[in-house]
Amino acid sequence: DAGVIQSPRHEVTEMGQEVTLRCKPISGHNSLFWYRQTMMRGLELLIYFNNNVPIDDSGMPEDRFSAKMPNASFSTLKIQPSEPRDSAVYFCASSLRTSGNREQFFGPGTRLTVL
Amino acid sequence: KQEVTQIPAALSVPEGENLVLNCSFTDSAIYNLQWFRQDPGKGLTSLLLIQSSQREQTSGRLNASLDKSSGRSTLYIAASQPGDSATYLCAVRGSQGNLIFGKGTKLSVKP
């Protein structure tokens, strides 16, 4: 099992540019979560999907952030335009919603730096 | 609104010591609680998951307990080793499915 796969692992971009982060959940999992980690705020949920449908996007900070899940094996988190305060590590996690414990498994994260 | 607090924020112990990390949460209506380990610059590794109906879970030298009524969980690490050095995160899952994390305890085990 390859686990949750995220790309890129590191992204450095300039303010105003569009950034797209990608995630491939564990095969068979039907819930997908996007989190952001910063020193100040720790780990926070941005949005999550059940069966490819967004359920709760209340954590998305602004309209500059958008997330899609076109199929069960792929999701994107897009920031347009990016700002320096978006610099953080972005994690994707997946779980099997119908399992008894719904344990979440995390990807390695994407470290985003916006200059 | 659920809030998760971890104390202490940092802990340094000599190798071989048994230690306890603490986690508290404000809303006892949780579905489960997960303990994670995070190494510098790395992702999160799930260590233990305790369902709301359970009192504890064990894996090797790790034991996690849950007291839902008092809003507390502890992670006990026996015979600590330098390889245990990492940040340990506690997270509770509410009814909506998302995890709410504490800020973590940064553990350093000195040889």
Side-chain angles (χ1 to χ4, degrees), chain B residues 18-89:
Chain B
N18 302 325
L19 58 99
V20 175
L21 307 181
N22 296 294
C23 172
S24 62
F25 46 95
T26 55
D27 185 350
S28 61
I30 64 171
Y31 188 85
N32 61 37
L33 183 146
Q34 244 177 301
W35 281 94
F36 293 87
R37 169 185 172 137
Q38 186 175 28
D39 293 283
K42 304 289 187 181
L44 279 69
T45 301
S46 180
L47 297 173
L48 290 165
L49 182 148
I50 311 177
Q51 296 283 42
S52 62
S53 58
Q54 296 174 325
R55 299 282 295 185
E56 66 176 347
Q57 283 287 328
T58 298
S59 176
R61 294 182 294 109
L62 305 179
N63 176 277
S65 69
L66 174 64
D67 184 343
K68 223 175 61 162
S69 61
S70 67
R72 293 178 184 175
S73 175
T74 61
L75 178 67
Y76 175 83
I77 303 176
S80 59
Q81 303 170 358
D84 295 330
S85 298
T87 296
Y88 290 81
L89 294 157

